[in-house]
Amino acid sequence: MEISSTEENYLKAIYALQSSGDKPGVSTSSLSEHLNNKAASVTDMLKRLSDKKLIHYKKYKAVSLTKQGEKLAIAIVRKHRLWEVFLMEKLNFKWDEVHEIAEQLEHIKSDELIERLDGFLGQPKYDPHGDPIPNAKGVLPKPKTSALSKIQNKGLYIFVGVNEHHVDFLRHLTSIGLKIGDQIKIEEHNSYDGSYLIRINKKPGQYISHKVASNLLIEIKS
Amino acid sequence: MEISSTEENYLKAIYALQSSGDKPGVSTSSLSEHLNNKAASVTDMLKRLSDKKLIHYKKYKAVSLTKQGEKLAIAIVRKHRLWEVFLMEKLNFKWDEVHEIAEQLEHIKSDELIERLDGFLGQPKYDPHGDPIPNAKGVLPKPKTSALSKIQNKGLYIFVGVNEHHVDFLRHLTSIGLKIGDQIKIEEHNSYDGSYLIRINKKPGQYISHKVASNLLIEIKS
DNA sequence: ATCAATTTTTAGACTAACCTAAATTTATTT
DNA sequence: AAATAAATTTAGGTTAGTCTAAAAATTGAT
Ligand SMILES: [Mn+2]
Ligand SMILES: [Mn+2]
Ligand SMILES: [Mn+2]
Ligand SMILES: [Mn+2]
């Protein structure tokens, strides 16, 4: 069965929304917003995806992916994230530049290509933003989930990922000298506004807002 | 101005046919055959490409690329051939496997990507089939044009490219142990059927047909 | 439980890229 | 120079993927 790039984008969107949201299903309007399409267009496509048995769809009800639909969605996520690693590691793109190009590359159809790319890159487990890369079987490494804002204790941590992927946010982190893998020392937590005083790799301390902190994923330094 | 992948494929086809053929223009029927589309569909697209000023088109006359159309066509050829080099050099695909995947990759839109890929590959001048790779300005290195079948003299040559790109032909060459860069010693030329007795890299001699010889591009060993 | 607001679906239209069948133009024979 | 053959275009359709406007269903507030 042939799957178009457009259909792939819908599957990916449903997958993203159903993983992020707390509820099980995904609404027409959330897809409409996520894909920048009108709700009527979404309904149209939902019917076609349903005909292809890629989603569970009942009129006026939230949709969800079938086994097959999820398998495809995860395969696309795998391709997207592997290409992002390629762009960053091999072609020296910055982490705020890779997503847009990967949006195109993720639709290239060749299983052999993606498996060889995976090998070439050394089977990376996480992409340049700290997102987990599913393996060829569709199994995801455990996601990085611990936001800095959840932690009050002083101590040493490692910056391992971002919650927010917008270019502006990524550039902001770059401008304050923060990149994946850096050490973060929490020196102070202000319960008043939720801001932090931190040191990145032992450099001079600086304040970061609660909003920024809530989008930084960290691990305790081992 | 937005150019679709389909439009890109038409431009590439016109470019290929106008470079290969002796005549200046390209006919609707040759495009129809090359692209496996009906002539009526071709006419349809020719009008649209003409509206976009990418081709010169007059009803019932052969078409040709405008300056802008040629620039785009060459850019696509550049992308195609660079991706072929990538697939072969970095991902270890065989030379008969790269074309199909490159047909997809050539439509990825990002100038930055292709320039970085070019750098990553060491600015190759020829692709895995010996075809010249245009530089970023659209200038082509001189093409390999000397077919083995044009030569009767015994002597030492280097195999530098193929005229024919079909998978079967490429696999045949692989099966007789011939790859780009190999030395070919002409030991005998049979004027009766145009076949040759050759030695590849000093290995035992073998016969190749006129047809094969006519698709092998060689240079005199310097 | 009813009514209003919101969400979703339907109906009807549009474009890109294809198709078949028929008409037209150009090329080739006689 | 006609007549025939071949190439090309036109006319009219189809599908994927989008849209707007209107109808229908669901949700949520009184
Ligand atoms: Mn991304
Ligand atoms: Mn990412
Ligand atoms: Mn090729
Ligand atoms: Mn090639």
Side-chain angles (χ1 to χ4, degrees):
Chain A
M1 187 184 29
E2 298 284 284
I3 310 262
S4 70
S5 296
T6 309
E7 289 170 327
E8 289 188 342
N9 283 334
Y10 271 85
L11 293 176
K12 196 168 56 125
I14 296 167
Y15 180 76
L17 291 170
Q18 90 179 7
S19 326
S20 74
D22 35 340
K23 315 256 169 52
V26 175
S27 69
T28 300
S29 55
S30 62
L31 279 167
S32 166
E33 179 165 13
H34 192 86
L35 294 162
N36 279 306
N37 279 347
K38 298 298 170 182
S41 310
V42 172
T43 299
D44 218 74
M45 178 59 92
L46 292 181
K47 282 180 193 159
R48 265 176 288 156
L49 292 174
S50 180
D51 289 346
K52 291 190 171 183
K53 308 235 184 292
L54 298 174
I55 61 171
H56 300 292
Y57 174 66
K58 296 275 176 217
K59 269 191 200 181
Y60 296 101
K61 295 282 191 53
V63 299
S64 58
L65 295 168
T66 60
K67 259 259 130 10
Q68 176 64 4
E70 182 174 87
K71 195 183 138 196
L72 287 172
I74 289 173
I76 300 155
V77 168
R78 170 170 165 77
K79 290 197 277 183
H80 181 100
R81 293 180 181 166
L82 282 173
W83 280 116
E84 283 191 346
V85 173
F86 169 73
L87 293 171
M88 181 123 173
E89 296 297 315
K90 302 295 183 179
L91 300 192
N92 297 117
F93 277 97
K94 305 200 202 88
W95 70 339
D96 56 294
E97 299 171 326
V98 298
H99 178 78
E100 195 190 327
I101 302 175
E103 284 292 304
Q104 297 180 62
L105 287 163
E106 73 189 3
H107 301 295
I108 301 292
K109 281 172 180 60
S110 167
D111 290 345
E112 186 68 18
L113 171 62
I114 207 67
E115 294 327 312
R116 283 180 190 244
L117 182 65
D118 186 42
F120 182 58
L121 299 173
Q123 284 149 285
K125 297 282 163 287
Y126 297 93
D127 84 0
H129 313 102
D131 296 311
I133 300 175
N135 68 16
K137 302 227 149 72
V139 180
L140 281 133
K142 87 167 176 315
K144 313 291 192 180
T145 52
S146 182
L148 174 51
S149 59
K150 298 249 180 60
I151 292 168
Q152 273 86 39
N153 318 44
K154 294 176 190 176
L156 284 180
Y157 300 90
I158 302 291
F159 170 48
V160 294
V162 291
N163 260 333
E164 169 69 64
H165 291 66
H166 288 121
V167 167
D168 292 340
F169 176 63
L170 299 177
R171 292 219 188 109
H172 175 65
L173 297 186
T174 302
S175 78
I176 68 173
L178 186 58
K179 58 185 190 308
I180 298 271
D182 282 353
Q183 182 188 102
I184 291 181
K185 186 176 180 192
I186 299 183
E187 302 225 300
E188 208 176 292
H189 170 249
N190 300 301
S191 50
Y192 170 63
D193 64 355
S195 68
Y196 290 82
L197 177 59
I198 64 167
R199 275 166 172 275
I200 298 168
N201 292 336
K202 296 172 180 160
K203 283 183 291 194
Q206 58 188 310
Y207 284 95
I208 59 172
S209 70
H210 175 77
K211 171 139 199 194
V212 166
S214 70
N215 286 313
L216 298 181
L217 301 174
I218 57 170
E219 280 175 0
I220 293 170
K221 181 163 190 188
S222 54
Chain B
M1 186 186 31
E2 298 284 285
I3 310 260
S4 69
S5 295
T6 309
E7 289 170 327
E8 290 188 341
N9 283 335
Y10 271 84
L11 293 177
K12 196 169 54 125
I14 296 167
Y15 180 76
L17 291 171
Q18 90 181 7
S19 325
S20 75
D22 34 341
K23 317 252 169 54
V26 175
S27 70
T28 300
S29 53
S30 62
L31 279 167
S32 166
E33 179 166 14
H34 192 87
L35 294 161
N36 279 306
N37 279 347
K38 297 299 167 182
S41 310
V42 172
T43 300
D44 218 73
M45 178 60 91
L46 291 182
K47 282 179 192 159
R48 266 176 288 156
L49 292 174
S50 180
D51 289 346
K52 290 190 171 182
K53 308 234 185 292
L54 299 174
I55 61 171
H56 299 292
Y57 175 66
K58 296 277 176 216
K59 270 194 197 178
Y60 295 102
K61 295 281 191 57
V63 299
S64 59
L65 295 169
T66 61
K67 259 258 129 11
Q68 176 64 4
E70 183 175 87
K71 195 183 136 194
L72 287 172
I74 289 173
I76 300 156
V77 167
R78 171 170 164 80
K79 291 199 276 183
H80 181 99
R81 293 179 182 167
L82 282 173
W83 280 116
E84 283 191 346
V85 173
F86 169 73
L87 293 170
M88 182 125 172
E89 296 297 313
K90 303 295 184 180
L91 301 191
N92 298 117
F93 276 97
K94 304 199 201 90
W95 72 338
D96 56 293
E97 298 171 326
V98 297
H99 177 78
E100 195 190 325
I101 302 175
E103 285 291 304
Q104 297 180 63
L105 287 163
E106 72 189 5
H107 301 295
I108 301 293
K109 280 171 181 60
S110 168
D111 290 345
E112 186 67 21
L113 171 62
I114 207 67
E115 294 326 312
R116 285 182 188 242
L117 182 65
D118 186 42
F120 182 58
L121 299 173
Q123 284 149 286
K125 296 282 162 287
Y126 297 92
D127 85 359
H129 312 102
D131 295 312
I133 300 175
N135 69 16
K137 301 226 150 75
V139 179
L140 281 132
K142 86 168 177 313
K144 312 292 193 181
T145 52
S146 181
L148 174 51
S149 59
K150 297 247 179 64
I151 290 166
Q152 272 86 39
N153 318 41
K154 292 173 189 179
L156 283 181
Y157 301 90
I158 302 291
F159 171 47
V160 294
V162 291
N163 261 333
E164 169 69 64
H165 292 66
H166 289 121
V167 168
D168 292 342
F169 175 62
L170 299 177
R171 292 220 187 107
H172 174 66
L173 296 186
T174 302
S175 78
I176 68 172
L178 186 59
K179 56 185 191 307
I180 298 268
D182 283 353
Q183 180 190 103
I184 291 181
K185 186 176 179 194
I186 299 183
E187 303 225 299
E188 207 178 295
H189 170 250
N190 300 302
S191 52
Y192 171 63
D193 64 354
S195 68
Y196 290 81
L197 177 60
I198 63 167
R199 274 165 172 276
I200 299 167
N201 292 335
K202 297 171 180 158
K203 283 183 291 192
Q206 57 188 310
Y207 284 96
I208 59 171
S209 69
H210 175 78
K211 172 140 199 194
V212 166
S214 70
N215 286 314
L216 299 181
L217 300 175
I218 57 169
E219 280 175 0
I220 293 170
K221 183 161 188 187
S222 55

